[in-house]
Structures are given as C-alpha cells and as structure tokens.
Amino acid sequence: MKQYSKETARLDRIDRHILALLQVDGRIANADLAEAVGLSASACLRRVRMLEESGVIDRYVALLDQARIGRRMNIFVEISLTSQSNDVLTRFEQAVARSPEIMECHLMAGDADYLLRITAADPIDFERIHRDHLARLPGVSRMRSSFAIRTITRSTAYPLPDDDDR
C-alpha cells in the first residue's frame, strides 16, 4: 500500500492526475474519477483517502463568484509593523485571523511586513472595512492600499510536478 509523508509528498503520475481532476471539479463522483485515471473505484478511493489523510488534499470548498456576491473590488494592503518582536507579530496575526474581511494575509520579505488581500463591494464598503477592521489591527505603523482595476488571471489549481522524482 502506498504511503504519503506528512511533509512533502512524493506524488506519482496517478496521484497527480487525481489531484489535477479534483482541482477542476472537487465534486466529481469517485466512479468517474476512477475511470478517468484508470483505477478501480476502490483503489481510487483509497488513493484519495491517503491524499486527504496526509494533508495533500487540505479540504474541499465551494468557490464563489466574487462579483456575483457583490464583492467586486480587490484591495491589496501593505502593512508595516512598529516592531518585529514575537509579541507584536503574534498579536497582529491573531487579529488578522479573526477578521472575516481579510481574505489573505502573507508575511513578506521586503519593504512591507505583511500583504493583505481584502474584497469589498465598493469604495464606501472599503472605507467601512478600513475603519472597523484595518485601523484596529495592533502594532501597525504604516498601511498602504492599492486597488486592483481588473483581475487578469486567477487560479485555485496548483501546477503539479511532472516527474516522480522532484
């Protein structure tokens, strides 16, 4: 039986094919998935379960159309903190994790300490988010916001390595 590491998984051709198909359609029926990758339904299900248990498959979600739910704007906010102490970093990260308005937060190298992605309905909604969420984040010394005019490409599917020996 194939084993997957809790760290970087060694994926074979069938694993990559399963993952590629699931990234496009996470609700594909196991029978259809098995047929597409050339396995029996039970062998395919075992592979999927191992990919889930190892953490390669993190979770299944529904991806919403941002514009259709009224969140047409993407705003990227660069944050610089007052200090790099563990306490300041921890308090900031905990506050960000509690804010439903912050879609992504990345610890950065370079001029800013963090880069946030916020979605908003319009500039008035962003003003509310700024006032009620961003301005209340602890340890912030500087914020710089950039508004995306249009999204050119957006993907949720990760490219998978082509070879068995990364």
Short mmCIF file of all heavy atoms in Angstrom, two decimals, residues 2 4 9-16 19 51 56 160-161 163-166:
data_model
loop_
_atom_site.label_atom_id
_atom_site.label_comp_id
_atom_site.label_asym_id
_atom_site.label_seq_id
_atom_site.Cartn_x
_atom_site.Cartn_y
_atom_site.Cartn_z
N LYS A 2 0.55 2.20 -0.83
CA LYS A 2 1.31 3.43 -0.98
C LYS A 2 1.16 4.29 0.28
O LYS A 2 0.08 4.43 0.81
CB LYS A 2 0.81 4.18 -2.20
CG LYS A 2 1.62 5.39 -2.49
CD LYS A 2 1.26 5.94 -3.83
CE LYS A 2 2.08 7.16 -4.05
NZ LYS A 2 2.62 7.28 -5.34
N TYR A 4 2.01 8.13 2.14
CA TYR A 4 2.31 9.54 1.88
C TYR A 4 2.86 10.16 3.14
O TYR A 4 2.34 9.96 4.23
CB TYR A 4 1.04 10.30 1.46
CG TYR A 4 0.41 9.77 0.19
CD1 TYR A 4 -0.63 8.86 0.24
CD2 TYR A 4 0.88 10.18 -1.04
CE1 TYR A 4 -1.20 8.37 -0.92
CE2 TYR A 4 0.32 9.70 -2.20
CZ TYR A 4 -0.72 8.79 -2.13
OH TYR A 4 -1.28 8.32 -3.28
N ALA A 9 4.91 15.42 -0.10
CA ALA A 9 4.51 14.11 -0.60
C ALA A 9 5.19 13.80 -1.92
O ALA A 9 5.41 14.68 -2.74
CB ALA A 9 3.00 14.08 -0.77
N ARG A 10 5.53 12.56 -2.11
CA ARG A 10 6.05 12.09 -3.40
C ARG A 10 4.84 11.58 -4.18
O ARG A 10 4.26 10.56 -3.83
CB ARG A 10 7.09 11.01 -3.19
CG ARG A 10 8.32 11.53 -2.45
CD ARG A 10 9.37 10.46 -2.26
NE ARG A 10 9.95 10.00 -3.49
CZ ARG A 10 10.91 10.63 -4.17
NH1 ARG A 10 11.38 11.77 -3.73
NH2 ARG A 10 11.41 10.12 -5.28
N LEU A 11 4.50 12.32 -5.19
CA LEU A 11 3.31 12.02 -5.97
C LEU A 11 3.69 11.30 -7.25
O LEU A 11 4.57 11.75 -7.98
CB LEU A 11 2.56 13.31 -6.30
CG LEU A 11 2.20 14.20 -5.12
CD1 LEU A 11 1.64 15.52 -5.61
CD2 LEU A 11 1.21 13.50 -4.21
N ASP A 12 3.00 10.20 -7.53
CA ASP A 12 3.24 9.54 -8.81
C ASP A 12 2.27 10.08 -9.85
O ASP A 12 1.47 10.98 -9.59
CB ASP A 12 3.17 8.02 -8.66
CG ASP A 12 1.78 7.50 -8.29
OD1 ASP A 12 0.77 8.24 -8.44
OD2 ASP A 12 1.69 6.33 -7.86
N ARG A 13 2.36 9.55 -11.06
CA ARG A 13 1.54 10.02 -12.17
C ARG A 13 0.05 9.94 -11.87
O ARG A 13 -0.71 10.86 -12.18
CB ARG A 13 1.89 9.20 -13.42
CG ARG A 13 1.13 9.59 -14.67
CD ARG A 13 1.41 8.64 -15.83
NE ARG A 13 1.15 7.24 -15.53
CZ ARG A 13 -0.08 6.69 -15.49
NH1 ARG A 13 -1.13 7.41 -15.74
NH2 ARG A 13 -0.22 5.41 -15.21
N ILE A 14 -0.38 8.86 -11.24
CA ILE A 14 -1.81 8.70 -10.93
C ILE A 14 -2.25 9.70 -9.87
O ILE A 14 -3.31 10.32 -10.00
CB ILE A 14 -2.11 7.25 -10.51
CG1 ILE A 14 -1.88 6.30 -11.69
CG2 ILE A 14 -3.54 7.12 -9.98
CD1 ILE A 14 -1.95 4.83 -11.35
N ASP A 15 -1.43 9.89 -8.84
CA ASP A 15 -1.75 10.90 -7.82
C ASP A 15 -1.93 12.28 -8.46
O ASP A 15 -2.88 12.99 -8.17
CB ASP A 15 -0.63 11.01 -6.78
CG ASP A 15 -0.47 9.79 -5.92
OD1 ASP A 15 -1.46 9.06 -5.72
OD2 ASP A 15 0.66 9.56 -5.43
N ARG A 16 -0.98 12.64 -9.33
CA ARG A 16 -1.05 13.95 -9.99
C ARG A 16 -2.31 14.07 -10.85
O ARG A 16 -2.94 15.13 -10.86
CB ARG A 16 0.21 14.21 -10.82
CG ARG A 16 1.46 14.43 -9.96
CD ARG A 16 2.64 14.92 -10.77
NE ARG A 16 2.95 14.09 -11.92
CZ ARG A 16 3.75 13.01 -11.90
NH1 ARG A 16 4.34 12.66 -10.77
NH2 ARG A 16 3.97 12.33 -13.00
N LEU A 19 -5.26 14.56 -8.50
CA LEU A 19 -5.26 15.91 -7.95
C LEU A 19 -5.63 16.95 -9.00
O LEU A 19 -6.37 17.89 -8.71
CB LEU A 19 -3.89 16.23 -7.34
CG LEU A 19 -3.55 15.42 -6.09
CD1 LEU A 19 -2.09 15.63 -5.72
CD2 LEU A 19 -4.47 15.77 -4.94
N LEU A 51 -4.41 10.74 0.21
CA LEU A 51 -4.07 12.14 -0.09
C LEU A 51 -4.72 13.08 0.91
O LEU A 51 -4.13 14.09 1.30
CB LEU A 51 -4.48 12.48 -1.52
CG LEU A 51 -3.66 11.81 -2.62
CD1 LEU A 51 -4.38 11.89 -3.97
CD2 LEU A 51 -2.27 12.42 -2.70
N VAL A 56 -2.19 16.39 1.74
CA VAL A 56 -2.02 16.90 0.38
C VAL A 56 -3.33 17.54 -0.06
O VAL A 56 -3.34 18.64 -0.60
CB VAL A 56 -1.59 15.77 -0.60
CG1 VAL A 56 -1.63 16.26 -2.04
CG2 VAL A 56 -0.20 15.27 -0.24
N LEU A 160 1.28 20.90 -10.82
CA LEU A 160 1.82 19.72 -10.17
C LEU A 160 3.09 19.28 -10.90
O LEU A 160 3.17 19.40 -12.12
CB LEU A 160 0.78 18.58 -10.18
CG LEU A 160 -0.49 18.92 -9.40
CD1 LEU A 160 -1.60 17.95 -9.71
CD2 LEU A 160 -0.21 18.97 -7.91
N PRO A 161 4.09 18.77 -10.16
CA PRO A 161 5.33 18.37 -10.82
C PRO A 161 5.09 17.26 -11.85
O PRO A 161 4.21 16.44 -11.66
CB PRO A 161 6.20 17.87 -9.66
CG PRO A 161 5.25 17.56 -8.57
CD PRO A 161 4.07 18.47 -8.76
N ASP A 163 7.47 15.04 -12.91
CA ASP A 163 8.26 13.84 -12.71
C ASP A 163 8.01 13.25 -11.33
O ASP A 163 7.58 13.89 -10.42
CB ASP A 163 9.74 14.14 -12.88
CG ASP A 163 10.24 15.18 -11.90
OD1 ASP A 163 9.56 16.20 -11.75
OD2 ASP A 163 11.29 14.95 -11.27
N ASP A 164 8.32 11.95 -11.21
CA ASP A 164 8.13 11.24 -9.95
C ASP A 164 9.23 11.56 -8.94
O ASP A 164 9.06 11.37 -7.75
CB ASP A 164 8.11 9.73 -10.17
CG ASP A 164 6.85 9.30 -10.93
OD1 ASP A 164 5.88 10.06 -10.94
OD2 ASP A 164 6.87 8.20 -11.51
N ASP A 165 10.36 12.06 -9.39
CA ASP A 165 11.49 12.35 -8.51
C ASP A 165 11.78 13.83 -8.52
O ASP A 165 12.60 14.31 -9.25
CB ASP A 165 12.73 11.59 -8.97
CG ASP A 165 12.50 10.11 -8.99
OD1 ASP A 165 11.88 9.58 -8.04
OD2 ASP A 165 12.95 9.46 -9.94
N ARG A 166 11.08 14.59 -7.66
CA ARG A 166 11.28 16.05 -7.61
C ARG A 166 12.67 16.37 -7.19
O ARG A 166 13.31 16.06 -6.35
CB ARG A 166 10.31 16.69 -6.65
CG ARG A 166 8.95 16.77 -7.26
CD ARG A 166 8.08 17.56 -6.40
NE ARG A 166 7.37 16.59 -5.56
CZ ARG A 166 6.68 16.89 -4.52
NH1 ARG A 166 6.60 18.11 -4.12
NH2 ARG A 166 6.05 16.01 -3.83
#
